Amino acid sequence: MKPRIGFFDFTGCEGCQLTVLNLEEEFLELLELVEIVEFREVMSGAAESLDIAFVEGSICRPQEVERLKAIRARSKTLVALGACADTAGVNALGHFRDLQQMRREIYGGDAPQLLTEPPRPLQAWVQVDHRVPGCPIDGREFLAVLQALLMGRPPELPSYSLCVECKLAELPCTFERDQVCLGPVTRAGCKALCIEAGDRCRGCRGVIDNPRSDPYYRILEEHGLCAEDILQELRTFNVLGKGKQCASK
């Protein structure tokens, strides 16, 4: 019997699920190894139990908490899929705004049917066994995580910073272009995709376990950033969790 897996979404853009679907041929090959029993974007129906639940999005409403707990209860393994599920992602920026005022600005009224609470990552409410970071996730990394789980071993994420991948790819340092980059404290694994495209790292994969914050902050100060500027950079994807700890140092 094939392992039964499901995909679930909460508050987010669903870009991580689209990344899975965009695997195309590899996604079809995946169907030879697992049975997908829930995936709202491609099928209807629900399953009583799952071996692996991939959950995207942050938790913003009481009813979402109850639904998440129900998914947890019927899943042997739960994986946070993407930045919103892992750290609450950009949704967590709502912690700095009056949510009632935001609803008025976005929907043109109080919109009581869309009442929300400050966004939280999955781990604020249930046990999360593993995670696939990023905004959106990297499709190859998703496959590697799934492969590890199917082989009965824990998935391993890079423990080093994005700077390592930049140097291996012989990409010029973003700071040399006078652009602020979060690569020195951000978890590697994306192959420096944004930097290779001429952009900078905004930290969507979360902060590494033991960031060397002090030397990094000295570099930021040398580029004219004050403490509030540094906090603003870190807040984009890392309002909560390790990002908050890193920013408080």
Side-chain angles (χ1 to χ4, degrees):
M1 183 176 177
K2 295 178 182 178
R4 295 156 59 86
I5 73 172
F7 294 84
F8 303 89
D9 47 77
F10 288 88
T11 300
C13 69
E14 303 187 13
C16 295
Q17 292 175 90
L18 288 175
T19 298
V20 174
L21 293 173
N22 284 339
L23 289 169
E24 298 180 343
E25 291 294 329
E26 290 166 300
F27 179 77
L28 295 177
E29 293 173 1
L30 183 66
L31 299 180
E32 298 180 4
L33 302 174
V34 300
E35 179 184 3
I36 298 178
V37 293
E38 286 196 49
F39 197 163
R40 184 184 59 78
E41 292 198 356
V42 295
M43 61 186 290
S44 58
E48 292 184 0
S49 63
L50 302 102
D51 292 294
I52 307 171
F54 290 96
V55 183
E56 179 183 8
S58 56
I59 306 302
C60 302
R61 303 180 187 181
Q63 56 268 41
E64 290 185 337
V65 176
E66 297 308 313
R67 179 173 166 243
L68 175 63
K69 289 181 177 178
I71 293 170
R72 174 71 272 189
R74 59 192 174 102
S75 305
K76 293 179 182 176
T77 299
L78 189 144
V79 181
L81 192 67
C84 290
D86 186 21
T87 66
V90 294
N91 290 336
L93 290 171
H95 284 256
F96 300 103
R97 295 289 307 276
D98 181 287
L99 295 181
Q100 188 173 0
Q101 178 62 31
M102 283 183 64
R103 284 196 298 277
R104 292 197 194 101
E105 293 175 3
I106 296 170
Y107 301 110
D110 288 336
Q113 74 278 17
L114 299 175
L115 186 64
T116 60
E117 297 178 349
R120 300 281 182 184
L122 306 186
Q123 62 181 342
W125 301 106
V126 300
Q127 175 184 329
V128 173
D129 301 304
H130 305 287
R131 55 202 183 90
V132 184
C135 179
I137 61 166
D138 181 277
R140 307 286 179 185
E141 188 169 54
F142 163 78
L143 291 174
V145 168
L146 178 58
Q147 181 183 36
L149 293 175
L150 295 178
M151 295 175 68
R153 56 181 175 80
E156 294 184 2
L157 297 175
S159 59
Y160 46 87
S161 77
L162 184 66
C163 285
V164 175
E165 290 186 333
C166 266
K167 292 185 182 302
L168 289 174
E170 298 183 350
L171 295 172
C173 180
T174 306
F175 282 103
E176 293 176 359
R177 304 200 305 263
D178 289 330
Q179 289 185 315
V180 174
C181 182
L182 293 185
V185 295
T186 297
R187 188 179 303 280
C190 60
K191 306 294 187 293
L193 182 65
C194 294
I195 296 171
E196 186 177 17
D199 201 350
R200 61 192 182 98
C201 176
R202 292 176 168 81
C204 76
R205 290 179 56 81
V207 178
I208 54 177
D209 295 332
N210 296 297
R212 298 183 63 214
S213 303
D214 290 342
Y216 177 54
Y217 289 168
R218 282 199 294 273
I219 294 173
L220 295 178
E221 288 170 354
E222 289 172 3
H223 283 74
L225 272 68
C226 64
E228 182 56 34
D229 294 330
I230 297 171
L231 286 171
Q232 190 66 31
E233 289 290 332
L234 288 166
R235 281 171 182 160
T236 305
F237 282 99
N238 298 283
V239 171
L240 306 175
K242 288 187 174 64
K244 184 177 181 180
Q245 297 169 16
C246 185
S248 65
K249 291 182 179 179

